[in-house]
Amino acid sequence: MNTRGTRAPHSGGPETTNDDWLADGQVRTYRRGQKIIEAGSPLAEWIAISGGAAYLAAKVAADTRVAVAALWLGDVIGADSPLGKLAARYDVMALVDVTTIHIPLPRMKDPHAPLRDAATGELYAATASRLQGQITMRLAGNGFQRLISVLATLAAALSSTPRPGTLGNSLALPVSQASIGQLSGLSRRQTWIYLGQLAERGWSRTSRTKVTLEGLNAWLSLMSEVETRGLDCIGSVEQCDATLSELAAAKALRR
């Protein structure tokens, strides 16, 4: 992990802008696979993701942790966040290289920072909404729908910060098929079958170590389309293929 300071905080009266309170933060970087927060540890800082993407993992056995959800740019993972008030409920791991902003809690309790309170409130709500959406999909969707949701979520997460894996309208996901299966609540065999079906229709390419999404623009629009039309539009590989094709065509017409 690398740590570097931000610019000096503002000194003056009670007027506090969004930039002022963020300037008190310490910027840290975590490499892919590195643990950012450990489950059960005290949350003594306000922490937000300012670059990259991370995933939450829950302990299900003595030596087994299962990926639960992905978080990215703007999500709050420290104290008073949806991940825990005083202690972390999940491990938070770097999915790719991650940059975070850390601010001491006493600074966050400043009573003269109404703009800060409004800004952090929006971040808390966005984080909670992303978590709830992913958890709801794990409960409500069938296996194929859950996989599609995870792939679209990873596309959004990894596209929030420009990275080398993005090439044209493709995106190489820096996660294994096993991790994708964990996030989807699927066995490795189910994950392999569904990814193969997508590959047959040209929406992904798979290898032993990598999954690449094709037609990235369509993937990035997919979950908003699901919110509008309902889960049936990705209920099967045929329906998902049709929906992605419609989104890809619409994107092409807007160019």
Side-chain angles (χ1 to χ4, degrees), residues 41-115:
S41 63
L43 293 173
E45 299 174 296
W46 185 90
I47 307 170
I49 297 174
S50 60
Y55 69 93
L56 312 183
K59 186 176 182 180
V60 295
D63 299 316
T64 304
R65 282 173 169 76
V66 175
V68 175
L71 295 176
W72 58 96
L73 180 65
D75 284 322
V76 181
I77 57 177
D80 295 331
S81 75
L83 277 69
K85 299 300 180 182
L86 299 176
R89 294 198 294 265
Y90 304 96
D91 286 338
V92 182
M93 310 290 294
L95 188 63
V96 291
D97 289 356
V98 172
T99 305
T100 55
I101 297 175
H102 297 243
I103 301 178
L105 275 184
R107 178 67 173 98
M108 298 302 293
K109 303 300 182 183
D110 181 358
H112 303 296
L115 291 177

Side-chain angles (χ1 to χ4, degrees), residues 7 9 30 105 110 150 172-173 203 212 236 241:
R7 62 185 177 85
Y30 297 84
L105 275 184
D110 181 358
V150 165
L173 302 179
W203 296 110
T212 300
S236 67
D241 179 34

